[in-house]
Amino acid sequence: MSRKTDAIVADALEKSKVLTEAIPQGRGAHRTNAERIVAVCKDLVCARPVQEPRTPLVTETGRIRFGKFPAEQSLLNRYGALLRIWRDAYRGIVDVSVPKPPGGGNPLAIADEDLAALDHGTKSRITLMMAVLREQKVENDRLKKLLYDQVPAPGHQGEAPIQTPVPPGARAAIGGWLAEVEAGIGGLEVDDLGVRVTRRAKPNQVIVSAEVIEALRAICGNNESRAIVEPMTPR
């Protein structure tokens, strides 16, 4: 094994030792089972080729080697922490065992000499599969960037919008005026386009009271309310 693989196995053994030694002395059978599970998992990840310590395989191998060994359900319920340690070790060994492309090149590229011994049909199928994988990787990278740029991280909702508190009485003033408009009182009426002045309106009649104006300014902010509509400059 390589140094990296040795280090991964040693780390898994150390973590397993901590869990095993935490088992009370009075539970001898439980401790024995844990030690046997560690031994089986170690053999699997150190095998050539490396084998994943899945629950059925661990149970089968353990019964062949020791005879008396926990069933699959017991492994999952009572010894799940040990199994997770060795599954992590398996993934780590697989990661460090994958051959790196020469010169740090594209991992989805295959040199022509690597395909030279294959027949034409097999070579064509491999070439096609690699092309599909490269296309899929490009699409996955695009989607990852899209998610990164546009989807907020969990728990982060962005900056909260600034809300202007509504002063007491403002809602009542505006609500009363709207009720009068919708009832056709005060020379105004509402249609599909908005509010219109009717023939019943008198010259110089107050259409919107100062109280309602102040309420609207208080909600929008004085500067904002006066800047909503800019007077048009004659051309």
Side-chain angles (χ1 to χ4, degrees):
M1 294 190 296
S2 67
R3 292 182 180 180
K4 291 183 179 180
T5 301
D6 289 342
I8 292 172
V9 173
D11 181 64
L13 285 172
E14 184 63 29
K15 291 178 179 176
S16 300
K17 181 180 178 181
V18 172
L19 290 182
T20 303
E21 291 183 347
I23 300 173
Q25 292 292 339
R27 303 183 63 186
H30 191 68
R31 179 186 288 262
T32 299
N33 286 337
E35 292 172 348
R36 290 178 176 180
I37 292 170
V38 172
V40 170
C41 290
K42 177 178 179 293
D43 288 347
L44 291 175
V45 301
C46 293
R48 289 293 178 267
V50 61
Q51 299 184 58
E52 182 179 3
R54 295 178 295 108
T55 305
L57 180 58
V58 172
T59 300
E60 180 183 358
T61 306
R63 286 178 176 173
I64 293 173
R65 179 171 175 180
F66 298 105
K68 188 176 181 181
F69 198 81
E72 292 184 26
Q73 197 61 39
S74 295
L75 283 179
L76 293 173
N77 294 338
R78 299 181 181 179
Y79 306 97
L82 281 175
L83 291 179
R84 284 192 292 273
I85 290 173
W86 289 96
R87 285 171 182 163
D88 289 343
Y90 164 80
R91 285 189 284 268
I93 292 173
V94 170
D95 289 342
V96 301
S97 301
V98 174
K100 301 297 186 295
N106 184 1
L108 295 180
I110 299 180
D112 292 338
E113 55 267 23
D114 294 334
L115 303 177
L118 302 177
D119 61 83
H120 179 72
T122 303
K123 188 186 302 184
S124 298
R125 286 194 294 272
I126 292 177
T127 303
L128 177 60
M129 285 189 293
M130 297 307 296
V132 172
L133 287 174
R134 284 192 293 270
E135 181 179 348
Q136 195 68 42
K137 184 179 184 304
V138 170
E139 180 65 13
N140 288 341
D141 291 343
R142 185 186 70 82
L143 292 175
K144 286 180 182 178
K145 186 177 186 305
L146 183 65
L147 289 173
Y148 181 82
D149 292 342
Q150 299 189 15
V151 178
H156 178 69
Q157 302 300 328
E159 297 183 0
I162 299 175
Q163 297 182 351
T164 303
V166 179
R171 289 184 185 274
I174 297 173
W177 178 75
L178 288 175
E180 291 182 358
V181 170
E182 292 177 350
I185 301 174
L188 301 177
E189 65 179 7
V190 180
D191 60 18
D192 293 340
L193 297 179
V195 180
R196 294 183 185 275
V197 178
T198 67
R199 294 181 180 178
R200 297 190 299 274
K202 302 176 182 178
N204 297 323
Q205 176 179 331
V206 175
I207 302 300
V208 182
S209 68
E211 181 184 13
V212 175
I213 291 293
E214 290 302 320
L216 291 172
R217 285 177 177 170
I219 293 175
C220 298
N222 289 340
N223 293 334
E224 294 180 5
S225 63
R226 291 172 181 172
I228 291 176
V229 179
E230 296 181 357
M232 295 182 63
T233 303
R235 302 194 177 197

